[in-house]
Amino acid sequence: MTGDASKAQEAFQDTVREAALRSARDEPPPNRLWFFGDARWRCLAVCEQGLQAEPGMMEEADISLFAPMQIAQLEPEQLAVWISAAPEPQRSALALFYLDEFTLREMLALLEIKAVEFADLLSSARRQFQAWLDATTPYYEEPFFDGNEA
Amino acid sequence: MATKPDTLLACAPITEKPGVDRAMRVAIQRARHGKQAPSFSQQQAFDAAVAKLVHAIPVDAQVAEWFANENLIPLPKPRWRKILLNPAVLAVIVAVAVISGVFAYRVHEHLKDFPGGDKARRLLSVAASSRSVILDPLQTDAGALTDLFFMKHRLEHYDVPPEFADFRTLGTRVFEDEEVHRVAQIWLVEKRMQLLLFPAEPDPKDGRIKDFSDWRFVELEGWTGAVQQRNGVCFMAVIRGREKDLAPYLEKKKQ
C-alpha cells in the first residue's frame, strides 16, 4: 500500500493502537473490516506526502495464456512494488482483491466505490500488469533451439 | 458499456468462499459453460497466480504479532435477521405456520365440537334463511309451546329451557328435515331470536346419546347458536351476532 515497509508498519501500528484504545473505552471495533479500512486510510494519508502515480499512464496488453508462468518467475517483492506504484483507488483495489480475503460487497464497502468502477480498476490493472510482465519477464512456450536435436 | 454479468466476472473471487452473492455465482457458472469460458479461465488463472505471489510477500514479524491478538477483533454476531430473511427459511417458516394454524384450528374445532354439532350448523343455515311469514303466527310464551309440540305433533321432550321460557313468540312451525328429521322452530319477539328443537345425535363412539346441560356454541356466517341437550333433544337458541350477544340470555337462569 505504501511502497515503504517502515511507513506501512507505522500505519498498521497506529491502527492497532487505535483498536486497543477503543477496546479500553469499551467501544471495540465493530468488525474485522474496520482494521483494513482504518489501515487503508492511514496508508493513504502517509502516501499523500510523496509522489503520486497518475491513472492511464501505463501500457496495456491482453492477458496471456502464459501469464501464470510469467508471474511464477517473479519475486514477491517485485509484485508488492508494482502494486504500491499503482494510483489510488486502483492500488487499494488490487491489495484487497488479491488478498483473497473479502467478498465483493466487503471490498466495495471498504473502497467506497461502485462495482462497475471496481471491475474497471481490476480489468485495467490486469492488462497493465500483463504489459509489464511482457516487458520484464517474457515467456516462450517452446525453446527456439534444442541442443540435443542439433 | 459493461453489462452487469461482465462487471461481476471482472471481480470474480479467486477462490470459492462463503458469502458470495447469488448473482455472482450465476455469472460465474454461465461464464464457465458459455462463450466466455476461455477468457474467464485465463483471468482466473492469472488472478490465482497473482494471489499466490501476494501470499508469499513476507509479513513483518512485528505486524504479524499485533494481529495475533485476537481480543482486538470482536467475534461476529450471528445475523439472525439475515438468516430469517433467507427466502428458503422464510418459505419453511410460512409453511410451518400455515400447517400449525390449520392443525390448531382443527384441534380447536374438535374441542368445541359435540355430537349433533353438524346438525346444529345445518339448522343455523336454515334459521339464517327463514322468514317469519313461513311460520304459523302464534303469540304466547315460548315455554307454553312444549305442550303444543307434544299434543299436536307428538314430539316428546321438546322443552324450551327456563332461560327462554318467558319470551313472547311471533310464530312457530314443525318441519321435516332430510338430515335432522323433525325440527320445531320458534320465532321470538326478543331481538328476532329463533329457537330450534331437534333430535339429539348419538355419540359415534358408543352409539349412546349423552345429554349436556352446559351451553355449547356453533357459528356460521355471522349467526351464532347456543346448544343444550336434555332428554335426547337438542335445544338451540339462534341470534344474528356473536357469542357475546347470546351470553346475557344464557345467564338469566343463574340470576
Side-chain angles (χ1 to χ4, degrees):
Chain A
M1 283 293 292
T2 60
D4 184 331
S6 61
K7 285 179 181 175
Q9 189 169 328
E10 190 182 331
F12 276 99
Q13 191 172 15
D14 290 345
T15 296
V16 176
R17 189 180 294 124
E18 175 65 20
L21 284 172
R22 280 169 164 257
S23 296
R25 291 198 303 263
D26 210 21
E27 296 169 0
N31 50 46
R32 70 183 187 123
L33 290 187
W34 178 90
F35 283 86
F36 293 95
D38 189 86
R40 180 194 171 220
W41 286 114
R42 289 181 192 280
C43 288
L44 294 184
V46 167
C47 292
E48 272 180 3
Q49 295 158 9
L51 288 172
Q52 302 294 311
E54 289 184 22
M57 300 293 287
M58 295 179 73
E59 287 183 15
E60 296 187 2
D62 290 339
I63 295 176
S64 163
L65 271 175
F66 310 117
M69 282 73 92
Q70 290 175 284
I71 293 165
Q73 293 175 39
L74 292 176
E75 290 297 324
E77 289 81 0
Q78 287 177 281
L79 176 63
V81 168
W82 192 89
I83 291 175
S84 67
E88 268 301 319
Q90 193 177 43
R91 188 192 338 157
S92 297
L94 289 171
L96 293 173
F97 182 74
Y98 286 110
L99 273 176
D100 196 21
E101 284 279 335
F102 309 101
T103 63
L104 177 59
R105 197 182 297 270
E106 289 172 332
M107 287 187 281
L108 297 181
L110 279 169
L111 296 170
E112 298 173 2
I113 58 176
K114 292 183 177 176
V116 175
E117 193 181 349
F118 185 63
D120 287 344
L121 290 173
L122 288 181
S123 298
S124 62
R126 285 188 191 105
R127 293 173 59 79
Q128 288 164 4
F129 191 59
Q130 181 65 60
W132 182 80
L133 281 173
D134 291 343
T136 59
T137 324
Y139 182 87
Y140 304 103
E141 188 181 13
E142 297 288 339
F144 291 113
F145 177 78
D146 190 327
N148 292 334
E149 284 180 4
Chain B
M1 187 176 164
T3 58
K4 199 174 181 194
D6 290 338
T7 301
L8 291 172
L9 286 182
C11 323
I14 300 162
T15 53
E16 290 185 12
K17 53 174 81 71
V20 176
D21 289 347
R22 185 175 176 277
M24 175 68 87
R25 291 200 303 271
V26 170
I28 291 171
Q29 281 302 317
R30 283 185 181 162
R32 281 180 180 159
H33 300 101
K35 290 177 184 174
Q36 292 170 297
S39 62
F40 182 63
S41 64
Q42 243 176 286
Q43 177 194 306
Q44 289 268 281
F46 180 95
D47 288 343
V50 174
K52 189 179 173 187
L53 202 59
V54 164
H55 284 101
I57 294 172
V59 178
D60 186 87
Q62 198 176 349
V63 172
E65 192 182 329
W66 294 334
F67 275 84
N69 185 359
E70 292 179 3
N71 292 334
L72 288 174
I73 304 174
L75 290 171
K77 293 175 184 172
R79 297 174 181 177
W80 293 110
R81 185 181 160 81
K82 192 175 178 183
I83 293 168
L84 288 175
L85 289 179
N86 183 309
V89 175
L90 268 180
V92 170
I93 290 171
V94 169
V96 169
V98 169
I99 291 167
S100 305
V102 170
F103 183 75
Y105 178 76
R106 295 298 296 268
V107 168
H108 181 68
E109 283 289 296
H110 190 68
L111 286 175
K112 284 173 65 177
D113 219 351
F114 53 91
D118 290 338
K119 281 184 175 179
R121 270 183 282 275
R122 178 178 169 81
L123 289 178
L124 210 53
S125 66
V126 170
S129 59
S130 291
R131 296 290 174 269
S132 58
V133 291
I134 65 169
L135 281 80
D136 303 326
L138 182 63
Q139 294 180 5
T140 182
D141 289 344
L145 295 177
T146 299
D147 292 338
L148 175 74
F149 294 143
F150 180 68
M151 300 293 284
K152 188 176 177 183
H153 302 286
R154 294 183 180 277
L155 295 172
E156 206 173 346
H157 301 304
Y158 273 48
D159 305 324
V160 175
E163 289 91 330
F164 297 92
D166 297 334
F167 288 117
R168 298 292 291 174
T169 64
L170 276 173
T172 183
R173 70 163 175 158
V174 173
F175 63 96
E176 189 79 21
D177 183 274
E178 58 183 9
E179 287 184 18
V180 188
H181 303 302
R182 302 200 77 188
V183 181
Q185 186 175 13
I186 305 166
W187 200 293
L188 297 183
V189 176
E190 177 76 13
K191 289 205 173 174
R192 316 287 282 182
M193 268 195 288
Q194 294 179 54
L195 310 179
L196 291 140
L197 293 126
F198 53 96
E201 181 88 356
D203 192 327
K205 290 175 186 170
D206 53 16
R208 296 171 64 184
I209 292 175
K210 294 173 184 172
D211 290 343
F212 50 89
S213 58
D214 56 317
W215 292 102
R216 300 184 184 182
F217 295 89
V218 286
E219 289 183 356
L220 185 80
E221 296 171 358
W223 290 74
T224 304
V227 184
Q228 197 180 59
Q229 185 175 309
R230 289 174 190 273
N231 300 316
V233 174
C234 278
F235 168 84
M236 179 165 70
V238 177
I239 197 167
R240 184 165 196 172
R242 308 185 71 177
E243 194 176 315
K244 64 176 184 179
D245 300 317
L246 266 174
Y249 300 101
L250 307 179
E251 289 169 358
K252 193 178 175 183
K253 187 179 165 187
K254 294 175 188 173
Q255 291 168 2

